[in-house]
Amino acid sequence: MKLVIFGPPSAGKGTQAQRLSQKYGIPQIATGDLLREHVAKKTPIGLKVKEILDAGKLGPDDLIVQIIKDRVSQPDCANGYLLDGFPRTMNQAKELEKITDIDLVLNIGVDTELLVERAVGRRICPKDASVYHILNNPPNAPGKCDKCGTQLIQRDDDKEETVRKRLKVYQDQTAPLVEYYRKKGKLMDIDGSLGIDGVFEQMIRAISRIKA
Ligand code: AMP
């Protein structure tokens, strides 16, 4: 099963992708996470994309497509995978078609102001990547990771100005892909305002329809 999870920044793609990956036993491939890993390790790719990420802009298509090609050719992807954050441009969608046939695109829709609130309140643990929210999912001790006690941080691209820029980039470059996949009959709309469990249940229902 090959799935794509779509949605504006902070729509909850990562959270849902993690759950789907566990439920269906397929790896989650998050281009944002892969790029952030490169940045953290200061690899040549990381040095090239750090400023792009911090500015909330999109990385170059050829580089992103190569990262995806390398990743999906690994053995754990043999039974399928879940793409989170890819494709993000029409060019990437066309390149993806050359690599494989996608079964379903899950499109999470959420109101813009709610997205800003979610992103700006998000805090992550730099050590184990746990995700919190200062209002909706606060850690037990303020500012500290529940699992390892590490001081939580805010991602640079979760600062409000950058979040709004990322939303604009999404509207301009990625939103057109929604109609592209809808016309192909591969898209299922998911109401992203329903909370984590409600969103997950809608996704499971959509997937069971393609598996039936
Ligand atoms: P995300 O964690 O999915 O929000 O991605 C964080 C950042 O990584 C984005 O703002 C982009 O700078 C970059 N990025 C992630 N996926 C892609 C992609 N498919 N194409 C271009 N840039 C990407």
Side-chain angles (χ1 to χ4, degrees):
M1 189 166 53
K2 288 163 188 163
L3 303 174
V4 171
I5 191 158
F6 253 1
S10 307
K13 293 190 295 289
T15 305
Q16 299 297 335
Q18 266 173 20
R19 285 187 158 203
L20 291 170
S21 160
Q22 269 176 10
K23 181 170 171 68
Y24 295 103
I26 51 175
Q28 169 197 7
I29 302 178
T31 39
D33 288 348
L34 294 173
L35 291 172
R36 278 187 290 275
E37 246 172 60
H38 278 286
V39 172
K41 289 185 188 154
K42 298 198 167 72
T43 67
I45 291 179
L47 295 174
K48 194 169 165 189
V49 297
K50 184 180 185 319
E51 277 182 21
I52 298 175
L53 259 73
D54 288 349
K57 294 184 190 152
L58 291 185
D61 282 342
D62 51 351
L63 179 87
I64 309 285
V65 169
Q66 193 55 50
I67 287 176
I68 286 288
K69 272 189 188 157
D70 291 346
R71 184 64 190 85
V72 301
S73 62
Q74 286 171 24
D76 64 328
C77 292
N79 292 326
Y81 42 81
L82 172 62
L83 298 177
D84 162 9
F86 180 91
R88 253 180 161 99
T89 64
M90 194 56 84
N91 188 22
Q92 290 179 11
K94 297 260 160 80
E95 289 298 322
L96 177 60
E97 259 157 44
K98 292 183 201 160
I99 302 171
T100 192
D101 218 1
I102 287 298
D103 296 301
L104 181 67
V105 177
L106 297 159
N107 177 42
I108 312 179
V110 192
D111 170 77
T112 304
E113 286 315 305
L114 186 61
L115 291 172
V116 174
E117 186 194 298
R118 281 188 187 171
V120 171
R122 181 158 55 193
R123 296 291 180 275
I124 56 166
C125 171
K127 198 165 166 203
D128 67 15
S130 299
V131 182
Y132 301 87
H133 188 280
I134 51 173
L135 303 174
N136 307 334
N137 178 27
N140 294 327
K144 297 267 195 289
C145 178
D146 290 349
K147 293 180 200 147
C148 64
T150 304
Q151 183 73 39
L152 301 177
I153 56 163
Q154 184 181 39
R155 263 167 50 178
D156 277 340
D157 61 356
D158 279 340
K159 309 241 158 88
E160 179 161 351
E161 195 195 333
T162 313
V163 170
R164 293 200 183 273
K165 230 185 270 167
R166 290 168 69 208
L167 283 167
K168 170 102 177 53
V169 169
Y170 176 82
Q171 280 311 327
D172 293 346
Q173 307 211 42
T174 309
L177 298 188
V178 170
E179 292 320 310
Y180 177 74
Y181 283 110
R182 195 190 301 287
K183 279 194 193 125
K184 288 179 176 284
K186 299 218 162 170
L187 189 108
M188 198 65 88
D189 285 304
I190 303 291
D191 178 354
S193 69
L194 293 187
I196 293 176
D197 290 338
V199 172
F200 189 55
E201 276 158 29
Q202 292 176 71
M203 292 187 164
I204 291 172
R205 254 181 274 133
I207 293 168
S208 66
R209 261 178 251 145
I210 58 155
K211 288 182 94 181

mmCIF file of all heavy atoms in Angstrom, residues 9 13 31-33 35-36 52-53 56-61 64 84-89 92 155 157 166, ligand 1:
data_model
loop_
_atom_site.group_PDB
_atom_site.id
_atom_site.type_symbol
_atom_site.label_atom_id
_atom_site.label_comp_id
_atom_site.label_asym_id
_atom_site.label_seq_id
_atom_site.Cartn_x
_atom_site.Cartn_y
_atom_site.Cartn_z
ATOM 1 N N PRO A 9 1.055 23.043 6.408
ATOM 2 C CA PRO A 9 1.937 22.888 7.561
ATOM 3 C C PRO A 9 1.119 22.896 8.854
ATOM 4 O O PRO A 9 0.202 23.703 8.984
ATOM 5 C CB PRO A 9 2.849 24.115 7.498
ATOM 6 C CG PRO A 9 2.728 24.645 6.120
ATOM 7 C CD PRO A 9 1.439 24.180 5.552
ATOM 8 N N LYS A 13 -0.054 16.206 9.909
ATOM 9 C CA LYS A 13 0.402 15.140 9.016
ATOM 10 C C LYS A 13 1.331 14.157 9.736
ATOM 11 O O LYS A 13 1.151 12.958 9.646
ATOM 12 C CB LYS A 13 1.185 15.711 7.824
ATOM 13 C CG LYS A 13 0.372 16.523 6.862
ATOM 14 C CD LYS A 13 1.178 16.829 5.598
ATOM 15 C CE LYS A 13 2.390 17.704 5.813
ATOM 16 N NZ LYS A 13 2.115 19.104 6.124
ATOM 17 N N THR A 31 9.845 13.900 4.261
ATOM 18 C CA THR A 31 10.970 14.643 3.670
ATOM 19 C C THR A 31 11.477 15.726 4.624
ATOM 20 O O THR A 31 12.680 15.949 4.714
ATOM 21 C CB THR A 31 10.582 15.268 2.309
ATOM 22 O OG1 THR A 31 9.251 15.757 2.382
ATOM 23 C CG2 THR A 31 10.702 14.281 1.200
ATOM 24 N N GLY A 32 10.563 16.373 5.352
ATOM 25 C CA GLY A 32 10.985 17.409 6.304
ATOM 26 C C GLY A 32 11.929 16.832 7.352
ATOM 27 O O GLY A 32 12.966 17.407 7.672
ATOM 28 N N ASP A 33 11.580 15.642 7.892
ATOM 29 C CA ASP A 33 12.429 15.000 8.907
ATOM 30 C C ASP A 33 13.777 14.609 8.304
ATOM 31 O O ASP A 33 14.828 14.784 8.935
ATOM 32 C CB ASP A 33 11.758 13.740 9.466
ATOM 33 C CG ASP A 33 10.575 14.064 10.372
ATOM 34 O OD1 ASP A 33 10.429 15.252 10.746
ATOM 35 O OD2 ASP A 33 9.797 13.145 10.691
ATOM 36 N N LEU A 35 15.300 15.972 5.803
ATOM 37 C CA LEU A 35 16.106 17.182 5.584
ATOM 38 C C LEU A 35 16.649 17.726 6.908
ATOM 39 O O LEU A 35 17.810 18.133 6.991
ATOM 40 C CB LEU A 35 15.275 18.254 4.873
ATOM 41 C CG LEU A 35 14.902 17.940 3.423
ATOM 42 C CD1 LEU A 35 13.916 18.960 2.882
ATOM 43 C CD2 LEU A 35 16.154 17.927 2.535
ATOM 44 N N ARG A 36 15.803 17.709 7.943
ATOM 45 C CA ARG A 36 16.274 18.214 9.250
ATOM 46 C C ARG A 36 17.407 17.354 9.802
ATOM 47 O O ARG A 36 18.315 17.857 10.448
ATOM 48 C CB ARG A 36 15.111 18.301 10.245
ATOM 49 C CG ARG A 36 14.274 19.581 10.069
ATOM 50 C CD ARG A 36 13.236 19.741 11.163
ATOM 51 N NE ARG A 36 12.177 18.764 11.038
ATOM 52 C CZ ARG A 36 11.097 18.913 10.266
ATOM 53 N NH1 ARG A 36 10.949 20.008 9.563
ATOM 54 N NH2 ARG A 36 10.184 17.975 10.208
ATOM 55 N N ILE A 52 17.171 27.446 3.550
ATOM 56 C CA ILE A 52 15.875 27.277 2.876
ATOM 57 C C ILE A 52 14.826 26.851 3.908
ATOM 58 O O ILE A 52 13.721 27.392 3.968
ATOM 59 C CB ILE A 52 15.992 26.209 1.761
ATOM 60 C CG1 ILE A 52 16.990 26.649 0.696
ATOM 61 C CG2 ILE A 52 14.626 25.890 1.164
ATOM 62 C CD1 ILE A 52 17.265 25.618 -0.393
ATOM 63 N N LEU A 53 15.183 25.881 4.736
ATOM 64 C CA LEU A 53 14.253 25.403 5.764
ATOM 65 C C LEU A 53 13.918 26.513 6.755
ATOM 66 O O LEU A 53 12.750 26.720 7.080
ATOM 67 C CB LEU A 53 14.862 24.208 6.517
ATOM 68 C CG LEU A 53 14.347 22.838 6.095
ATOM 69 C CD1 LEU A 53 14.891 22.449 4.735
ATOM 70 C CD2 LEU A 53 14.715 21.792 7.123
ATOM 71 N N GLY A 56 11.427 28.855 5.572
ATOM 72 C CA GLY A 56 10.101 28.318 5.257
ATOM 73 C C GLY A 56 9.862 28.143 3.767
ATOM 74 O O GLY A 56 8.729 27.981 3.323
ATOM 75 N N LYS A 57 10.967 28.163 2.982
ATOM 76 C CA LYS A 57 10.815 27.964 1.528
ATOM 77 C C LYS A 57 10.947 26.479 1.191
ATOM 78 O O LYS A 57 11.338 25.680 2.042
ATOM 79 C CB LYS A 57 11.906 28.744 0.789
ATOM 80 C CG LYS A 57 11.772 30.232 0.949
ATOM 81 C CD LYS A 57 12.834 30.925 0.103
ATOM 82 C CE LYS A 57 12.896 32.406 0.421
ATOM 83 N NZ LYS A 57 14.233 32.942 0.173
ATOM 84 N N LEU A 58 10.669 26.127 -0.069
ATOM 85 C CA LEU A 58 10.802 24.728 -0.477
ATOM 86 C C LEU A 58 12.207 24.437 -0.965
ATOM 87 O O LEU A 58 12.827 25.265 -1.636
ATOM 88 C CB LEU A 58 9.811 24.400 -1.604
ATOM 89 C CG LEU A 58 8.334 24.371 -1.232
ATOM 90 C CD1 LEU A 58 7.521 23.907 -2.433
ATOM 91 C CD2 LEU A 58 8.053 23.491 -0.028
ATOM 92 N N GLY A 59 12.679 23.222 -0.659
ATOM 93 C CA GLY A 59 13.977 22.786 -1.167
ATOM 94 C C GLY A 59 13.882 22.502 -2.658
ATOM 95 O O GLY A 59 12.786 22.379 -3.201
ATOM 96 N N PRO A 60 15.066 22.379 -3.342
ATOM 97 C CA PRO A 60 15.056 22.145 -4.800
ATOM 98 C C PRO A 60 14.472 20.765 -5.156
ATOM 99 O O PRO A 60 14.808 19.770 -4.520
ATOM 100 C CB PRO A 60 16.537 22.219 -5.195
ATOM 101 C CG PRO A 60 17.314 22.232 -3.930
ATOM 102 C CD PRO A 60 16.411 22.504 -2.778
ATOM 103 N N ASP A 61 13.608 20.737 -6.186
ATOM 104 C CA ASP A 61 12.931 19.505 -6.578
ATOM 105 C C ASP A 61 13.892 18.345 -6.825
ATOM 106 O O ASP A 61 13.657 17.231 -6.371
ATOM 107 C CB ASP A 61 12.105 19.732 -7.863
ATOM 108 C CG ASP A 61 10.792 20.460 -7.573
ATOM 109 O OD1 ASP A 61 10.363 20.475 -6.401
ATOM 110 O OD2 ASP A 61 10.203 20.996 -8.524
ATOM 111 N N ILE A 64 15.206 16.833 -3.616
ATOM 112 C CA ILE A 64 14.149 16.163 -2.842
ATOM 113 C C ILE A 64 13.754 14.844 -3.519
ATOM 114 O O ILE A 64 13.583 13.819 -2.856
ATOM 115 C CB ILE A 64 12.892 17.079 -2.737
ATOM 116 C CG1 ILE A 64 13.252 18.473 -2.250
ATOM 117 C CG2 ILE A 64 11.814 16.427 -1.880
ATOM 118 C CD1 ILE A 64 13.553 18.620 -0.814
ATOM 119 N N ASP A 84 5.012 11.585 3.607
ATOM 120 C CA ASP A 84 4.537 12.689 4.451
ATOM 121 C C ASP A 84 5.366 13.923 4.080
ATOM 122 O O ASP A 84 6.549 13.987 4.383
ATOM 123 C CB ASP A 84 4.726 12.245 5.914
ATOM 124 C CG ASP A 84 4.712 13.380 6.912
ATOM 125 O OD1 ASP A 84 4.385 14.520 6.553
ATOM 126 O OD2 ASP A 84 5.062 13.112 8.086
ATOM 127 N N GLY A 85 4.736 14.866 3.369
ATOM 128 C CA GLY A 85 5.482 16.070 2.970
ATOM 129 C C GLY A 85 6.039 15.983 1.558
ATOM 130 O O GLY A 85 6.788 16.848 1.127
ATOM 131 N N PHE A 86 5.669 14.951 0.836
ATOM 132 C CA PHE A 86 6.094 14.770 -0.558
ATOM 133 C C PHE A 86 4.969 14.069 -1.307
ATOM 134 O O PHE A 86 4.400 13.122 -0.768
ATOM 135 C CB PHE A 86 7.370 13.928 -0.633
ATOM 136 C CG PHE A 86 7.849 13.705 -2.050
ATOM 137 C CD1 PHE A 86 8.744 14.576 -2.639
ATOM 138 C CD2 PHE A 86 7.383 12.612 -2.791
ATOM 139 C CE1 PHE A 86 9.173 14.373 -3.949
ATOM 140 C CE2 PHE A 86 7.812 12.408 -4.091
ATOM 141 C CZ PHE A 86 8.705 13.283 -4.667
ATOM 142 N N PRO A 87 4.597 14.483 -2.517
ATOM 143 C CA PRO A 87 5.131 15.600 -3.287
ATOM 144 C C PRO A 87 4.558 16.934 -2.816
ATOM 145 O O PRO A 87 3.487 16.978 -2.230
ATOM 146 C CB PRO A 87 4.640 15.291 -4.705
ATOM 147 C CG PRO A 87 3.355 14.548 -4.509
ATOM 148 C CD PRO A 87 3.538 13.746 -3.250
ATOM 149 N N ARG A 88 5.292 17.988 -3.085
ATOM 150 C CA ARG A 88 4.872 19.322 -2.675
ATOM 151 C C ARG A 88 4.783 20.280 -3.849
ATOM 152 O O ARG A 88 4.349 21.415 -3.675
ATOM 153 C CB ARG A 88 5.880 19.873 -1.661
ATOM 154 C CG ARG A 88 5.356 19.921 -0.225
ATOM 155 C CD ARG A 88 6.491 20.491 0.565
ATOM 156 N NE ARG A 88 6.199 21.040 1.841
ATOM 157 C CZ ARG A 88 6.378 20.418 2.996
ATOM 158 N NH1 ARG A 88 6.709 19.157 3.024
ATOM 159 N NH2 ARG A 88 6.212 21.063 4.119
ATOM 160 N N THR A 89 5.238 19.869 -5.010
ATOM 161 C CA THR A 89 5.105 20.704 -6.217
ATOM 162 C C THR A 89 4.620 19.794 -7.347
ATOM 163 O O THR A 89 4.749 18.566 -7.256
ATOM 164 C CB THR A 89 6.466 21.298 -6.656
ATOM 165 O OG1 THR A 89 7.335 20.208 -7.019
ATOM 166 C CG2 THR A 89 7.121 22.124 -5.575
ATOM 167 N N GLN A 92 7.310 17.578 -8.619
ATOM 168 C CA GLN A 92 7.565 16.413 -7.754
ATOM 169 C C GLN A 92 6.505 15.337 -7.979
ATOM 170 O O GLN A 92 6.803 14.140 -7.991
ATOM 171 C CB GLN A 92 7.581 16.830 -6.282
ATOM 172 C CG GLN A 92 8.794 17.674 -5.895
ATOM 173 C CD GLN A 92 8.767 18.103 -4.430
ATOM 174 O OE1 GLN A 92 7.977 17.625 -3.632
ATOM 175 N NE2 GLN A 92 9.657 19.033 -4.087
ATOM 176 N N ARG A 155 10.901 24.747 16.879
ATOM 177 C CA ARG A 155 11.565 24.688 15.581
ATOM 178 C C ARG A 155 11.616 26.099 14.998
ATOM 179 O O ARG A 155 10.645 26.840 15.100
ATOM 180 C CB ARG A 155 10.753 23.804 14.622
ATOM 181 C CG ARG A 155 11.239 22.399 14.530
ATOM 182 C CD ARG A 155 10.255 21.476 13.844
ATOM 183 N NE ARG A 155 9.751 21.952 12.551
ATOM 184 C CZ ARG A 155 8.897 21.251 11.792
ATOM 185 N NH1 ARG A 155 8.484 20.070 12.191
ATOM 186 N NH2 ARG A 155 8.461 21.722 10.651
ATOM 187 N N ASP A 157 11.286 27.025 12.069
ATOM 188 C CA ASP A 157 10.222 27.254 11.082
ATOM 189 C C ASP A 157 8.823 27.202 11.706
ATOM 190 O O ASP A 157 7.827 27.290 11.011
ATOM 191 C CB ASP A 157 10.351 26.327 9.866
ATOM 192 C CG ASP A 157 10.260 24.857 10.203
ATOM 193 O OD1 ASP A 157 10.168 24.525 11.400
ATOM 194 O OD2 ASP A 157 10.256 24.039 9.269
ATOM 195 N N ARG A 166 5.142 29.770 5.250
ATOM 196 C CA ARG A 166 4.983 28.375 4.802
ATOM 197 C C ARG A 166 3.556 28.118 4.320
ATOM 198 O O ARG A 166 3.339 27.368 3.372
ATOM 199 C CB ARG A 166 5.352 27.413 5.933
ATOM 200 C CG ARG A 166 6.833 27.406 6.234
ATOM 201 C CD ARG A 166 7.131 26.687 7.536
ATOM 202 N NE ARG A 166 6.891 25.262 7.461
ATOM 203 C CZ ARG A 166 6.557 24.501 8.493
ATOM 204 N NH1 ARG A 166 6.403 25.030 9.680
ATOM 205 N NH2 ARG A 166 6.374 23.225 8.340
HETATM 206 P P1 AMP B 1 7.768 19.717 6.966
HETATM 207 O O1 AMP B 1 8.351 19.156 8.207
HETATM 208 O O2 AMP B 1 7.114 18.660 6.094
HETATM 209 O O3 AMP B 1 6.863 20.876 7.209
HETATM 210 O O4 AMP B 1 9.010 20.258 6.090
HETATM 211 C C1 AMP B 1 9.870 21.245 6.597
HETATM 212 C C2 AMP B 1 10.591 21.951 5.476
HETATM 213 O O5 AMP B 1 11.360 21.011 4.705
HETATM 214 C C3 AMP B 1 9.717 22.644 4.444
HETATM 215 O O6 AMP B 1 9.288 23.922 4.879
HETATM 216 C C4 AMP B 1 10.666 22.714 3.249
HETATM 217 O O7 AMP B 1 11.621 23.720 3.420
HETATM 218 C C5 AMP B 1 11.377 21.377 3.319
HETATM 219 N N1 AMP B 1 10.656 20.318 2.573
HETATM 220 C C6 AMP B 1 10.040 19.227 3.101
HETATM 221 N N2 AMP B 1 9.482 18.471 2.137
HETATM 222 C C7 AMP B 1 9.731 19.106 0.961
HETATM 223 C C8 AMP B 1 9.413 18.847 -0.402
HETATM 224 N N3 AMP B 1 8.709 17.766 -0.765
HETATM 225 N N4 AMP B 1 9.843 19.734 -1.330
HETATM 226 C C9 AMP B 1 10.553 20.822 -0.998
HETATM 227 N N5 AMP B 1 10.886 21.132 0.262
HETATM 228 C C10 AMP B 1 10.499 20.292 1.247
#
